[in-house]
Amino acid sequence: AVLPSPGQLPPTVVPAGGSLLVNCSTDCPSAELISLETSLLKESVGSGLGWAAFQLSNVTGDIQLLCSGFCNGSQMIGFSNITVYRFPERVELAPLPLWQPVGENLTLRCMVSSGAPRDHLTVVLLREEEELGRQPAGDGEPAEVTVTVLASRDDHGASFSCRTELDLRSQGLGLFQNSSAPRKLRTFAMPTTPPRLVVPRFSEVETSWPVDCTLDGLFPASEAQVQLALGDQMLNATVVSHGDTLTATATAKAEQERRCVVIKLLGNAPPLGFQGPNLTLREPNATEGTTVTVTCAAGPRVRVTLDGVPAAAPGQPAHLQLNATAKDDRRTFFCNATLEVHGVILHRNRSVQLRVLYGPKIDRAKCPQRLTWKDRTMHILQCQARGNPNPKLQCLQEGSMFKVPVGIPFLVRLNYSGTYYCQAASSRGTDVLTVMMDVQGRNPIAITIVLGVLTILGLVILAAASVYVFGVQKRRDIYHPDEAAAVELS
């Protein structure tokens, strides 16, 4: 692309960790001092009349590149934003309840690790191929997207999943999708009326008699198990289901005294009181350097596992302690609770996110402390600050308190030379870094002027002198279309 000076190219998208060949070129026939401004490590790979090429390696984050040069004494610039993309490393739908009651809310959780740029990353939650909802991935790491639906009988046996969509079509690439493994859901509905038990009112000792137990409104009746008991004696029952009705029939033998008949509906449905673990953070907003305690607890006989570490025994809580650091900000903790009921393992899950208050801190590796620039050239002061809450960063000149722009291109002037105090400030305090800026004047332009007079009688040299003209330069701050000068990045 050929651009007027100054100009900007469309954003360039590169894979994370990849390399990039940048060619700064111009159609100006007398171009000189073509250079590339970037905070990345660069290697000059070639140059010629009106062009210079540079190799950038291991591009891991978004950055702005700036090409600059001079044409007939006027500076020309072109800049472009480099956007790094990476595919998610993990897309996972959180485990579903083993059995979900019909008519109750079901929250689907999709966890996404990595993936960039986040403003082009969307998370979609699905029931089979039906889209239940979509949301931006957001800035959390890992990102957690939830959708709540009302469980129904039609959801029994259905597969649920989540999918990420990294849409780079506007950058000339494509739509990249990554799906989680599907998880099947089973739903149930308990009878609203008690079981109907049919037994003889009277029976003779040592005789056998039939026992019938019928349940209406049980879903799914075909997957339920029923046990009939006479006192402590378990009966061998035959179970038949039709629709939402289940009937269990057995033969009982009366003993010397009559005992009550007990009906047990086992099925695989969880006890309604098993609502899952209680996951707590003693300090949801912890200060960097303090101890954070995470506790996961549940009821009796329930075994809990916190971030993969199980509790010592069923019924006991699981604890996790850590010294909060900046890397723990937005960290998500997961707790899984399991309960065994008649040989069936039931699951419940909870998650909680930690926020760590830290900083502010100026990244010394990304903020050079000594700069040497030429007068009337375009440059970028690359400085970044980290912290929670987000700090405000500004660089002020010593004495004049002049504020130089940070992170955006600006025209350097001679009076910008001096010492700057770059300060990152938030409600937690400040961090100051000293930056020395040395702006050098342009070299004087030497012009030799020869004066001569041609007479009829002959050539008489009247005078000759060499004159050095300092600072003779026409202002070219504003681009004139008739002065062709362009910068190309490719």
Side-chain angles (χ1 to χ4, degrees):
V2 178
L3 301 173
S5 172
Q8 181 175 10
L9 286 167
T12 300
V13 181
V14 297
S19 60
L20 182 65
L21 179 63
V22 180
N23 182 36
C24 298
S25 62
T26 175
D27 56 5
C28 174
S30 58
E32 58 181 352
L33 300 177
I34 298 177
S35 63
L36 173 66
E37 293 287 343
T38 175
S39 61
L40 296 175
L41 292 177
K42 63 183 178 181
E43 178 185 0
S44 177
V45 295
S47 62
L49 183 61
W51 66 274
F54 305 88
Q55 182 77 33
L56 305 180
S57 302
N58 193 27
V59 183
T60 58
D62 298 349
I63 196 168
Q64 187 176 71
L65 301 178
L66 185 146
C67 279
S68 66
F70 288 90
C71 178
N72 298 324
S74 293
Q75 188 183 35
M76 49 191 175
I77 64 169
F79 56 94
S80 176
N81 293 318
I82 303 300
T83 300
V84 168
Y85 73 88
R86 58 173 59 88
F87 302 130
E89 297 175 357
R90 177 175 70 103
V91 180
E92 181 180 0
L93 183 68
L96 302 176
L98 186 61
W99 285 90
Q100 171 69 24
V102 170
E104 293 189 10
N105 285 333
L106 169 67
T107 299
L108 304 171
R109 287 183 171 85
C110 184
M111 310 303 300
V112 179
S113 298
S114 189
R118 281 297 177 90
D119 55 352
H120 288 257
L121 186 63
T122 302
V123 181
V124 184
L125 288 111
L126 304 165
R127 177 191 183 275
E128 303 292 352
E129 296 301 321
E130 176 191 0
E131 185 174 310
L132 300 176
R134 61 171 54 230
Q135 297 179 27
D139 297 327
E141 186 57 45
E144 179 177 335
V145 172
T146 63
V147 168
T148 300
V149 296
L150 195 65
S152 68
R153 295 191 177 197
D154 292 337
D155 294 326
H156 183 67
S159 292
F160 291 81
S161 63
C162 62
R163 180 180 71 217
T164 58
E165 294 180 354
L166 185 60
D167 192 353
L168 301 178
R169 288 174 292 188
S170 60
Q171 279 72 35
L173 299 178
L175 178 66
F176 302 96
Q177 297 180 340
N178 193 4
S179 298
S180 70
R183 296 186 185 272
K184 280 198 172 184
L185 179 68
R186 291 191 288 180
T187 60
F188 75 95
M190 298 295 289
T192 56
T193 58
R196 289 183 284 110
L197 180 65
V198 179
V199 296
R201 296 186 60 188
F202 303 99
S203 61
E204 297 180 7
V205 176
E206 299 298 330
T207 60
S208 299
W209 39 273
V211 176
D212 291 334
C213 175
T214 302
L215 296 96
D216 295 317
L218 176 65
F219 175 82
S222 59
E223 299 185 34
Q225 300 176 11
V226 177
Q227 284 187 351
L228 300 180
L230 178 62
D232 294 332
Q233 177 188 359
M234 301 300 297
L235 304 180
N236 187 16
T238 300
V239 180
V240 177
S241 63
H242 180 72
D244 292 345
T245 299
L246 182 146
T247 301
T249 303
T251 299
K253 187 175 183 179
E255 300 176 349
Q256 292 183 354
E257 57 178 335
R258 175 71 182 275
R259 298 181 182 181
C260 67
V261 180
V262 180
I263 308 297
K264 295 182 179 180
L265 174 65
L266 293 182
N268 288 322
L272 296 181
F274 182 42
Q275 299 299 323
N278 183 23
L279 182 59
T280 57
L281 279 169
R282 191 176 67 180
E283 293 290 341
N285 295 287
T287 302
E288 184 180 24
T290 60
T291 300
V292 175
T293 301
V294 189
T295 302
C296 179
R301 300 189 302 115
V302 180
R303 180 180 291 276
V304 295
T305 301
L306 178 58
D307 266 17
V309 180
Q316 294 187 10
H319 301 284
L320 188 152
Q321 278 194 342
L322 68 149
N323 188 36
T325 66
K327 293 183 178 180
D328 294 316
D329 187 36
R330 298 184 183 273
R331 177 178 173 181
T332 301
F333 298 91
F334 298 92
C335 182
N336 171 259
T338 58
L339 176 65
E340 183 177 354
V341 180
H342 300 290
V344 178
I345 305 298
L346 311 176
H347 297 269
R348 290 288 188 274
N349 299 284
R350 291 287 188 275
S351 65
V352 66
Q353 189 179 77
L354 171 67
R355 295 307 309 269
V356 178
L357 303 175
Y358 69 98
K361 188 70 175 177
I362 300 177
D363 192 339
R364 267 62 177 170
K366 296 184 178 180
C367 190
Q369 281 94 76
R370 184 169 294 277
L371 301 167
T372 301
W373 289 334
K374 294 290 186 181
D375 179 34
R376 299 179 60 78
T377 58
M378 295 293 294
H379 291 281
I380 302 175
L381 179 57
Q382 299 280 5
C383 285
Q384 296 181 13
R386 299 176 291 109
N388 179 30
N390 291 327
K392 178 182 179 181
L393 177 63
Q394 59 180 0
C395 296
L396 303 176
Q397 189 180 42
E398 184 181 29
S400 70
M401 302 305 289
F402 169 72
K403 182 166 68 175
V404 67
V406 178
I408 59 175
F410 66 97
L411 183 65
V412 176
R413 301 297 184 111
L414 274 175
N415 60 350
Y416 287 12
S417 285
T419 301
Y420 288 81
Y421 296 106
C422 293
Q423 176 179 280
S426 72
S427 58
R428 290 183 43 78
T430 60
D431 184 31
V432 179
L433 179 66
T434 301
V435 176
M436 303 294 295
M437 187 184 301
D438 179 17
V439 182
Q440 300 177 351
R442 299 285 302 280
N443 293 328
I445 303 173
I447 302 177
T448 300
I449 302 177
V450 179
L451 303 178
V453 176
L454 180 62
T455 66
I456 298 176
L457 298 177
L459 181 62
V460 179
I461 300 176
L462 297 181
S466 294
V467 181
Y468 288 90
V469 182
F470 290 85
V472 178
Q473 178 180 348
K474 181 181 177 182
R475 289 201 52 171
R476 307 287 283 277
D477 295 343
I478 302 175
Y479 170 70
H480 298 282
D482 57 334
E483 300 172 356
V487 176
E488 178 182 357
L489 286 81
S490 61

